[in-house]
Amino acid sequence: SSALDILKINDDFAQSNMAQVIAKALHDKYSYALKEVEAPEEVDVPAIEQGVIYQANVAGTGWQGHKLNGDMAGTEGMNKGMEALNIALCQMENLGVAYRAHVSNIGWQDWVYDGALAGTVDKGENIEALEVKLTGEVASKYSIQYQVHIEDIGWMDWIIDGNMAGTTGRAKKIE
């Protein structure tokens, strides 16, 4: 288990072709570093047709692998705070995701959208709280729920649709 059991959209998700979605996301993020190489014939990547993909940056560890549809990200009880997070929806037409982080010594950051970075990287500042909500034409037809594990507190209740998960003003990090 881990610190962030996040983002289960209240709808059933079919499992299918996720490799293309992840490849595009990685290309968009790291295209400056790409060199021409022969692509492998098969890519071993979890496949989903619709859903949520997210990634956490953990103190002392760095970026963890991508997580899908409610898989947990971060750590639990290891005293390693989550410093950054990105979240995106896959193949959800007319639907996006917005989220923001409350960061130690910074406070609430501005809302970011669809895979952008929330939090900080390599600055030693931990995320203490999150708010996540859906955006787009059909956002009112769905809900998004998330749960966090807080230092010295443990698992908090499930939170839904833009409400705060975590704490502020208590210097307690999301692990």
Side-chain angles (χ1 to χ4, degrees):
S1 42
S2 87
L4 189 64
D5 187 3
I6 187 168
L7 307 177
K8 295 180 183 177
I9 293 181
N10 294 335
D11 193 10
D12 292 328
F13 296 121
Q15 295 291 319
S16 166
N17 188 3
M18 185 61 180
Q20 292 176 348
V21 174
I22 291 174
K24 181 181 180 330
L26 292 173
H27 179 271
D28 291 350
K29 186 171 183 177
Y30 299 109
S31 61
Y32 65 88
L34 293 177
K35 297 179 182 174
E36 285 191 34
V37 294
E38 190 172 317
E41 289 187 24
E42 292 186 28
V43 179
D44 185 22
V45 177
I48 62 170
E49 186 173 302
Q50 291 182 316
V52 183
I53 184 170
Y54 42 96
Q55 187 178 28
N57 185 292
V58 176
T61 303
W63 286 104
Q64 296 182 325
H66 287 90
K67 305 296 180 183
L68 307 170
N69 287 338
D71 292 338
M72 292 182 285
T75 64
E76 179 181 357
M78 297 177 61
N79 199 30
K80 292 185 175 194
M82 182 178 295
E83 296 182 348
L85 177 71
N86 60 52
I87 306 167
L89 302 181
C90 300
Q91 302 191 32
M92 300 290 293
E93 198 168 315
N94 299 314
L95 191 63
V97 63
Y99 45 100
R100 67 180 185 155
H102 185 277
V103 178
S104 58
N105 298 311
I106 295 173
W108 283 108
Q109 295 182 318
D110 291 337
W111 289 94
V112 295
Y113 303 87
D114 302 316
L117 178 80
T120 62
V121 177
D122 296 331
K123 293 186 178 181
E125 304 295 348
N126 297 303
I127 295 176
E128 298 174 340
L130 289 172
E131 295 178 342
V132 184
K133 62 185 178 182
L134 297 173
T135 62
E137 291 177 32
V138 297
S140 64
K141 295 181 180 181
Y142 296 88
S143 284
I144 192 161
Q145 59 183 344
Y146 40 102
Q147 182 183 38
V148 297
H149 185 274
I150 299 292
E151 163 191 21
D152 297 329
I153 295 174
W155 286 103
M156 308 265 312
D157 291 336
W158 282 97
I159 304 299
I160 190 167
D161 295 334
N163 290 299
M164 185 183 80
T167 64
T168 59
R170 296 178 62 187
K172 301 287 184 189
K173 61 185 166 245
I174 292 177
E175 297 181 323

